[in-house]
Amino acid sequence: MHYKTHSVPDDTHVYAIGDIHGRVDLLAKMLDMIRHDVAGETANRRVLVFLGDYVDRGLQSRQVIDLLLSGPMPGFEAVFLKGNHDELLLAYLEDESVGEYWFSVGGDATLLSYGIACRSGQVTNSWKQFQNVLPASHRSFLSGLSSMHVEGDYAFTHAGIRPGKALAVQRDEDLMWGCEKFADDERDHGKMIVHGHFYAPEPEVRHNRIGIDTGACATGCLTCLVLSGATQRFLYT
């Protein structure tokens, strides 16, 4: 079977970074690798696309957001997508009852990064503390995250798409939380879908999707997909 070739716009380099999950050390290392990677390149447009899940599980969620808020690297545009863990943090801010679930999937580590020790039975107390200590800039950053970004023949989302639906009418819920049918669906989605969310020990490259969540928090391997013209390659921490 013949599959079409995908490409990004001419004179453009795209660097798509997978799920970070509170590992500011790996994020800083990856950004340094990207700086070295572009040295000597002549592309006029350079784009960083972050696929979401900046928080939870790792112990440096606050520091990750601080680093991202420090501004894009010189010469780069930056696109920030929203993951389900980022959405959970915002949901907790609005409703403390979300805490029980959020803490069970790594939210307790996020609170620790803001100086809040979360223990069983202290959900309400933690919620009040978090309301007080979360910087307005962090809340604004998380609230302003996008759900999809397109570059040429590629569409970037956190968790893929719902197959069979046009990209223009995808639900944020599916883009952030994933669809159980997505991983094994063989259809052409209109664009090559680049996503995180679904862990695999190495990048999953299919004819219709590329998954780059390599479990950075647990494995120490943060993955970046590099796109230029019709070429695809990877950087790893």
Side-chain angles (χ1 to χ4, degrees):
M1 182 179 294
H2 175 72
Y3 296 120
K4 68 181 182 183
T5 300
H6 299 86
S7 62
V8 294
D10 292 340
D11 209 20
T12 297
H13 276 48
V14 178
Y15 292 81
I17 298 175
D19 306 34
I20 299 167
H21 279 303
R23 289 295 301 266
V24 74
D25 54 335
L26 300 181
L27 174 59
K29 182 177 180 180
M30 178 58 73
L31 293 177
D32 191 53
M33 292 174 68
I34 292 171
R35 289 187 189 95
H36 284 87
D37 191 75
V38 300
E41 294 287 353
T42 58
N44 284 323
R45 183 168 175 261
R46 299 166 177 174
V47 186
L48 283 170
V49 181
F50 297 89
L51 297 184
D53 275 6
Y54 312 103
V55 302
D56 296 353
R57 297 180 180 159
L59 295 176
Q60 302 159 322
S61 292
R62 176 175 187 154
Q63 292 84 353
V64 165
I65 297 176
D66 280 335
L67 180 54
L68 295 175
L69 283 174
S70 67
M73 296 189 296
F76 279 84
E77 302 170 26
V79 175
F80 301 104
L81 302 181
K82 182 185 287 187
N84 58 305
H85 284 264
D86 312 313
E87 178 69 6
L88 273 174
L89 185 157
L90 291 171
Y92 175 61
L93 288 171
E94 299 299 323
D95 180 359
E96 65 185 273
S97 69
V98 174
E100 184 174 353
Y101 174 70
W102 185 43
F103 301 160
S104 74
V105 295
D108 53 345
T110 295
L111 291 185
L112 279 173
S113 75
Y114 287 91
I116 302 171
C118 175
R119 299 182 180 85
S120 177
Q122 293 186 332
V123 173
T124 298
N125 187 47
S126 299
W127 181 74
K128 291 178 179 177
Q129 291 182 67
F130 196 39
Q131 293 279 353
N132 290 329
V133 304
L134 182 69
S137 60
H138 288 207
R139 189 167 191 161
S140 178
F141 169 77
L142 293 165
S143 298
L145 298 173
S146 304
S147 57
M148 182 186 295
H149 180 71
V150 173
E151 290 284 345
D153 298 324
Y154 292 84
F156 304 82
T157 76
H158 174 67
I161 63 166
R162 181 169 290 276
K165 293 186 67 175
L167 295 183
V169 296
Q170 292 285 324
R171 299 186 309 163
D172 285 350
E173 179 181 354
D174 292 325
L175 300 178
M176 289 187 295
W177 290 87
C179 172
E180 68 280 358
K181 301 175 182 179
F182 171 67
D184 296 319
D185 194 278
E186 295 293 327
R187 284 173 286 186
D188 185 334
H189 302 308
K191 302 282 186 182
M192 173 68 83
I193 308 300
V194 179
H195 65 92
H197 187 69
F198 297 102
Y199 164 75
E202 58 186 27
E204 292 187 295
V205 181
R206 307 284 182 87
H207 71 93
N208 59 357
R209 69 177 183 90
I210 302 175
I212 59 171
D213 177 9
T214 47
C217 181
T219 65
C221 180
L222 179 62
T223 295
C224 175
L225 169 65
V226 186
L227 302 171
S228 176
T231 66
Q232 303 168 354
R233 57 189 175 88
F234 297 93
L235 300 176
Y236 309 94
T237 55

